[in-house]
Amino acid sequence: MTPLVRLRNVGKRFANGTEALRAMSLDIREGGFVSLLGPSGCGKSTALRLIAGLAEPSDGTVEWPGGRDGAGLGFVFQEPTLMPWRNVWGNVFLPLRLAGVSKAAAEPRIAAALASVGLGGFAKSYPRQLSGGMKMRVSIARALVMRPRLLLMDEPFAALDEITRARLNDDLLRLHAAEKLTIVFVTHSVYESVFLSSRIVVMAARPGRVVADIAIDAPALRDEAFRTSEDYNRQCRIVSAALRTAMGEQRHAG
Amino acid sequence: MPVDRARVLRMLLPVLVGLAFLAGWEAFVRLNDIPVYVLPGPIRIAQRLVEDWGTLSDSLLVTLEVTFAALLAAIIGGGGLAVLFAQSKWVEASLFPYAVILQVTPIVAIAPLILIYVRNTELALLVCAWIVAFFPILSNTTMGLNSTDPNLLDLMQLYRARRWQVLWYLRLPQAMPYFLSGLRIAGGLSLIGAVVAEFTAGTATAGTGLAYRILESSYRLDIPRMYAALVLLSGSGVLIFAALSGVSWIVLHRWHESAVRRER
């Protein structure tokens, strides 16, 4: 099966000399939920930006075997990144408007995107009237409104409280299944990545690189029972150990 | 409700202070028999304002005309330049220092030169007032256009937004609070610029603005009329500020922190 995106020996060096990423190779297959897990400075956000085309690799290539435009990209930042002067509807309308879609044609698509994140009744609210979790839902709706095949998420729930975070995790898995999304998810939480992913790429810092690639064995739709199961704990331990090894290597390298 | 009482008090207190000040002033003038050509009391000034309303209101209109024309020119000139600056760092780097030089050179020092080169007096006054007023709009709007959320800019890039779309959907709305705060300053400054220019032009031309009236009255030692003209000028300044604050509230109250009232 040809991957949606293929990273081949991708490296990124910034103008100030920092090597953010070294020789990263990764195939992202359609329908997968891949987490990039690692400590800060391991280049996981850089990798995401390279995939999105928001930065150019210094070495290697980012390939789109099926064409990039056909894939359709959505990006969710760590902050909700909403326009405070537009209400929820206007914020979700932005990508459609940039693509030249009329308000009338956008209406049902926006309604559907808002409904899918559970914000059906909030179209007219302004961002300042919403809680952190709700703002993040708007941000996800804005990414989904273009019906992307690939959704890139950069620590989207890091700033949220645990209860909100667990709820959004559940909803994200539901969306992943319902919308046939491929998701690349950056996180520094072992528990979150094991709960969400079909595959976890563990990374280390200085320079940022891949140190382990772990497949998670669990049903596609996971629930509260899975979150407390022995199976979940066992896989968390495996990923945790890989991360510890990565941090250890980092210490030796630094 | 205690909240409402606090609000009423907030409005009432400055009014009371003002009235007490005026009463003290009137009493001081009367008790000490101060002659009207040294310091007229507020009642005398009010009388003069009513007596001379015809001449003074005509002059007020002349001054306000220059003020508003200058403010409009400042909005177009300052805002336009800011948008131009936002298009290219190089344009900003080459022109901004000259905008600063224009701003820091005292207008009273440039005004006589402008009056020599610009034949039409009204246009010359307008140019002077514009020089004073455009800078706050330019510098504030430039700052606003440059303080866009970098993540939103990334989002624009991701969706392949065109340059004008980034400007129209992102930079301009982001700059709006900055622009409006510059506008409030510029409103007062264009009035000041107009008056300063009139003073400079006053002796040379047949101006009829309020500043000219003040000069004229001072030659005739008509002190109450000087004060009356002054009252009209301050009043206009206050009204301009209030009107521009109102505009700012109307535009921003839905979303911007400066205009949102906290619910407790």
Side-chain angles (χ1 to χ4, degrees):
Chain A
M1 190 170 122
T2 43
L4 206 53
V5 196
R6 169 173 283 158
L7 274 63
R8 256 196 235 257
N9 280 316
V10 167
K12 177 71 183 176
R13 192 183 287 276
F14 291 117
N16 65 9
T18 312
E19 191 174 14
L21 200 61
R22 178 187 288 178
M24 181 176 188
S25 291
L26 182 68
D27 280 5
I28 292 160
R29 296 187 188 286
E30 188 133 26
F33 196 127
V34 181
S35 281
L36 306 182
L37 172 72
S40 19
C42 73
K44 51 194 193 300
S45 293
T46 304
L48 208 63
R49 292 177 60 82
L50 289 169
I51 295 171
L54 293 174
E56 291 296 318
S58 320
D59 301 303
T61 51
V62 178
E63 292 163 18
W64 297 82
R68 190 198 130 147
D69 286 335
L73 276 183
F75 201 107
V76 177
F77 299 89
Q78 182 169 353
E79 295 86 29
T81 312
L82 303 176
M83 300 177 288
W85 57 89
R86 291 252 176 248
N87 60 19
V88 166
W89 199 94
N91 268 286
V92 178
F93 182 38
L94 178 74
L96 294 166
R97 176 181 237 173
L98 292 175
V101 179
S102 74
K103 277 195 176 180
E107 182 64 57
R109 295 171 69 175
I110 294 172
L114 285 177
S116 74
V117 296
L119 283 180
F122 292 89
K124 291 204 163 67
S125 302
Y126 280 81
R128 65 175 180 86
Q129 299 167 312
L130 304 177
S131 68
M134 287 162 91
K135 281 186 215 170
M136 195 41 85
R137 286 172 188 274
V138 178
S139 191
I140 294 171
R142 178 180 60 194
L144 291 179
V145 79
M146 296 298 279
R147 305 207 130 258
R149 279 161 71 199
L150 179 61
L151 181 59
L152 305 170
M153 306 181 89
D154 191 359
E155 297 191 43
F157 310 141
L160 301 176
D161 62 87
E162 204 179 324
I163 299 167
T164 311
R165 189 177 196 168
R167 242 210 227 121
L168 278 162
N169 280 343
D170 291 339
D171 286 358
L172 185 59
L173 281 179
R174 194 175 41 71
L175 282 170
H176 176 240
E179 309 269 330
K180 298 189 173 60
L181 280 168
T182 306
I183 296 180
V184 181
F185 189 94
V186 165
T187 179
H188 52 235
S189 160
V190 169
Y191 308 102
E192 187 172 59
S193 64
V194 172
F195 184 72
L196 291 172
S197 319
S198 52
R199 180 178 164 201
I200 298 176
V201 175
V202 182
M203 300 176 73
R206 280 175 288 276
R209 62 203 185 279
V210 176
V211 290
D213 196 332
I214 301 165
I216 296 299
D217 177 28
L221 213 60
R222 302 159 196 193
D223 50 14
E224 214 40 52
F226 177 68
R227 216 189 292 252
T228 48
S229 69
E230 178 48 38
D231 196 27
Y232 172 70
N233 282 329
R234 184 181 53 81
Q235 304 202 49
C236 282
R237 277 197 295 275
I238 295 172
V239 174
S240 237
L243 187 62
R244 221 173 9 254
T245 313
M247 308 273 281
E249 278 179 25
Q250 183 185 314
R251 208 168 298 128
H252 292 306
Chain B
M1 257 163 37
V3 179
D4 275 353
R5 187 182 297 171
R7 274 184 75 191
V8 169
L9 214 59
R10 187 179 286 266
M11 310 262 268
L12 212 60
L13 275 177
V15 176
L16 288 177
V17 168
L19 286 176
F21 176 73
L22 289 178
W25 179 355
E26 186 70 37
F28 174 75
V29 168
R30 283 181 190 235
L31 290 175
N32 294 297
D33 264 338
I34 295 179
V36 90
Y37 54 83
V38 175
L39 181 65
I43 293 177
R44 186 78 193 78
I45 294 169
Q47 279 171 351
R48 201 80 178 93
L49 187 59
V50 175
E51 286 163 20
D52 272 5
W53 179 250
T55 334
L56 288 177
S57 61
D58 281 351
S59 296
L60 176 65
L61 283 183
V62 171
T63 302
L64 286 183
E65 207 177 299
V66 174
T67 303
F68 286 124
L71 185 59
L72 192 67
I75 293 171
I76 297 169
L81 265 180
V83 169
L84 189 69
F85 285 5
Q87 297 310 301
S88 148
K89 284 276 156 225
W90 297 111
V91 177
E92 183 179 347
S94 354
L95 294 184
F96 201 78
Y98 296 99
V100 173
I101 290 173
L102 211 54
Q103 165 69 13
V104 297
T105 311
I107 187 64
V108 266
I110 325 174
L113 284 172
I114 292 171
L115 282 157
I116 289 171
Y117 296 128
V118 182
R119 287 288 178 80
N120 181 326
T121 314
E122 198 153 333
L123 185 62
L125 298 182
L126 181 64
V127 170
C128 293
W130 176 80
I131 288 176
V132 182
F134 90 100
F135 190 77
I137 294 187
L138 170 67
S139 81
N140 274 26
T141 311
T142 301
M143 189 171 175
L145 290 170
N146 287 335
S147 49
T148 318
D149 181 345
N151 282 341
L152 276 172
L153 284 175
D154 278 347
L155 200 71
M156 287 293 198
Q157 192 191 335
L158 188 76
Y159 290 123
R160 311 243 160 107
R162 291 156 197 273
R163 220 179 159 82
W164 71 264
Q165 287 178 315
V166 177
L167 181 70
W168 187 252
Y169 295 132
L170 195 57
R171 288 194 195 273
L172 285 179
Q174 184 81 61
M176 198 44 101
Y178 297 81
F179 164 76
L180 288 167
S181 123
L183 182 66
R184 281 198 293 187
I185 303 169
L189 284 181
S190 50
L191 181 64
I192 292 173
V195 169
V196 168
E198 273 180 29
F199 267 117
T200 317
T203 47
T205 58
T208 48
L210 269 181
Y212 178 77
R213 291 292 169 218
I214 291 179
L215 277 179
E216 181 195 57
S217 309
S218 91
Y219 296 147
R220 295 181 190 162
L221 277 182
D222 190 346
I223 311 297
R225 198 162 147 207
M226 288 177 79
Y227 273 100
L230 194 58
V231 167
L232 286 181
L233 280 178
S234 313
S236 310
V238 170
L239 283 182
I240 290 172
F241 183 81
L244 294 177
S245 298
V247 169
S248 179
W249 186 83
I250 289 169
V251 176
L252 299 181
H253 75 279
R254 280 176 196 280
W255 66 274
H256 197 253
E257 309 300 337
S258 68
V260 172
R261 257 182 64 199
R262 274 211 172 283
E263 284 172 38
R264 287 173 204 274

